[in-house]
Amino acid sequence: MVLSKINPIILYSHASGPNPWKISILLEELGLPYETRFKEFPELKVEPYITLNPNGRVPAIEDRNTGVSLAESAAIIQYLIDTYDTEGRFTYQKNSEAYYKTLQWLAFQVSGQGPYFGQKAWFSNYHSEKLPSAEKRYGDEIRRVVGVIDAHLKKQHTDYLVGNKVTFADLSFITWTALTGWLTPDLNLKEFPAFEAWNQRLVERPAVKKVLEEKAKKMAS
């Protein structure tokens, strides 16, 4: 598919939610045209959006080039990679061990990092009563998740999660990691030097910088 002929992909997003911005980063990295439509939370629970995403959350996409509508960030990431990363810039050859390892780390992001970081945000900032035990549990889980990645990078002696090539798995961690200082201000990432260096390499990428700056502006407006 020639990029100049691709219609913009519609991305449904929210200013504060980290998950849709993961998709923005990948779209930018792939050089794909897209249109972001920001939704408020009540709009996500009613038609027509609830048909697009029965879970009533963001992100979701509509790709007018293929007729595909899709929700859930991991599914969207895999779809974009399979459909548009024809040169394998952010993935490995299908059916290779490296390919499945990349999927493994994407699964860890959506099952480990996202939920634990999200629960810490909820109990520290939005829950109707203070529950120190819950805040401690999820704060400890954030430290554990960071430690898992730090230990893996040290053991593998690689710049990225799977080899020395940035993949969709690495990119998927960025937007939640950006909240670490807000969620756990007592967590010093210098205790996890491999993680800190890995994250720094990611946030220095031009596409990532652009998206994080756009997110900050949207939240401030």
Side-chain angles (χ1 to χ4, degrees):
M1 204 178 279
V2 180
L3 286 183
S4 62
K5 296 181 180 178
I6 294 181
N7 294 310
I9 294 169
I10 299 171
L11 169 63
Y12 294 93
S13 184
H14 186 272
S16 64
N19 287 327
W21 295 96
K22 293 191 296 189
I23 309 305
S24 299
I25 286 174
L26 185 57
L27 288 166
E28 289 285 347
E29 290 281 8
L30 290 170
L32 294 171
Y34 66 101
E35 172 192 338
T36 304
R37 296 183 182 178
F38 291 96
K39 293 288 187 180
E40 295 303 320
F41 291 129
E43 296 178 273
L44 304 179
K45 308 299 183 183
V46 297
E47 297 293 356
Y49 188 82
I50 200 70
T51 293
L52 179 60
N53 183 355
N55 193 34
R57 303 287 181 88
V58 285
I61 64 165
E62 291 180 310
D63 188 348
R64 292 172 289 183
N65 303 286
T66 62
V68 170
S69 298
L70 204 59
E72 298 298 329
S73 61
I76 294 169
I77 287 169
Q78 196 60 55
Y79 166 77
L80 293 174
I81 289 293
D82 289 348
T83 306
Y84 294 105
D85 190 13
T86 55
E87 298 178 355
R89 293 170 55 207
F90 302 103
T91 188
Y92 290 95
Q93 183 177 349
K94 279 193 173 181
N95 298 320
S96 66
E97 181 179 7
Y99 173 76
Y100 290 115
K101 291 289 188 183
T102 307
L103 289 179
Q104 166 191 294
W105 285 104
L106 178 61
F108 180 64
Q109 193 283 314
V110 298
S111 67
Q113 188 204 36
Y116 289 128
F117 281 51
Q119 289 299 310
K120 180 62 166 65
W122 174 261
F123 283 107
S124 292
N125 300 282
Y126 307 113
H127 195 59
S128 59
E129 58 180 309
K130 295 297 288 182
L131 295 175
S133 61
E135 292 188 54
K136 182 180 186 306
R137 165 172 165 70
Y138 293 113
D140 289 346
E141 284 299 314
I142 290 176
R143 174 178 286 273
R144 185 187 68 80
V145 168
V146 169
V148 167
I149 294 174
D150 185 73
H152 169 73
L153 293 169
K154 288 176 179 175
K155 186 180 294 183
Q156 299 298 313
H157 302 289
T158 56
D159 288 341
Y160 298 101
L161 294 173
V162 184
N164 287 309
K165 169 182 177 176
V166 64
T167 68
F168 61 84
D170 299 283
L171 298 172
S172 72
F173 283 86
I174 295 168
T175 54
W176 280 106
T177 299
L179 300 180
T180 303
W182 174 58
L183 296 173
T184 52
D186 59 335
L187 177 59
N188 184 358
L189 290 182
K190 295 194 179 301
E191 298 177 32
F192 304 95
F195 178 95
E196 184 180 44
W198 166 72
N199 183 62
Q200 191 60 37
R201 282 189 288 273
L202 293 172
V203 298
E204 287 175 352
R205 298 178 64 84
V208 175
K209 281 186 177 181
K210 179 182 177 182
V211 170
L212 293 181
E213 288 172 1
E214 288 177 353
K215 182 176 186 292
K217 289 178 182 177
K218 187 65 180 176
M219 289 186 66
S221 64

